[in-house]
Amino acid sequence: AGGKDPDGAFAKAIAALDRAIALDAEEPSEWEERGAIRANWAVLREARGGDVDELYRAADEDFGKAISLDPRRWKSWEARATAYLNWAIALGGVGKDPEPILAKAEADLDRALDLSRGGEATVWLMRGMARNHRGHAGKARGQDPAESFAGAKADLARALELDPDSVESLVRRGMIEAD
């Protein structure tokens, strides 16, 4: 959503998906896509210092609807987990405890791994990121982060086994090793 009015572009994209959903409310991909657009809009809004909770809550509802329509669609679980992860980062950035949202992200990624039979590198990457953030959140609360960090390292190792050329997995592993 580029251009001079990114908020307008996101609003237009959501309006288009509203129309698509009105025509076929039983198609999970439309709900998932609207949730992803709302989550991406929240990321942009957060970068500009705006409030993001309303957009993330709406995205959560959209992803929940997609999952209710097709609970075996692992991509919907991963998409919601990604939104949760970004929401948790935003919460941490304003001094709120991200742990409840991080726990939801990790649970959704566990489900996505089950449904994808553990064969998707991106899901392992995302779970590694969620575990790393949970370790940092726990550390900030005075808890020992060792278990979360070890889980994050193991997840990223698995992501790299499945996709050895994943630049993002390599970068994230490097960041975790530096912690």
Side-chain angles (χ1 to χ4, degrees), residues 104-150:
K104 289 181 178 185
E106 191 171 339
D108 277 5
L109 291 162
D110 289 345
R111 186 68 181 132
L113 284 170
D114 287 345
L115 293 170
S116 70
R117 296 184 179 93
E120 295 297 327
T122 59
V123 181
W124 289 102
L125 165 66
M126 294 307 298
R127 193 173 76 171
M129 291 170 57
R131 286 178 165 180
N132 186 52
H133 284 288
R134 284 186 87 181
H136 284 288
K139 189 175 181 180
R141 289 188 313 275
Q143 297 171 336
D144 182 3
E147 184 177 337
S148 292
F149 289 158

Side-chain angles (χ1 to χ4, degrees), residues 160 163-168 170:
L160 286 165
D163 184 2
D165 298 324
S166 169
V167 172
E168 188 170 5
L170 289 165

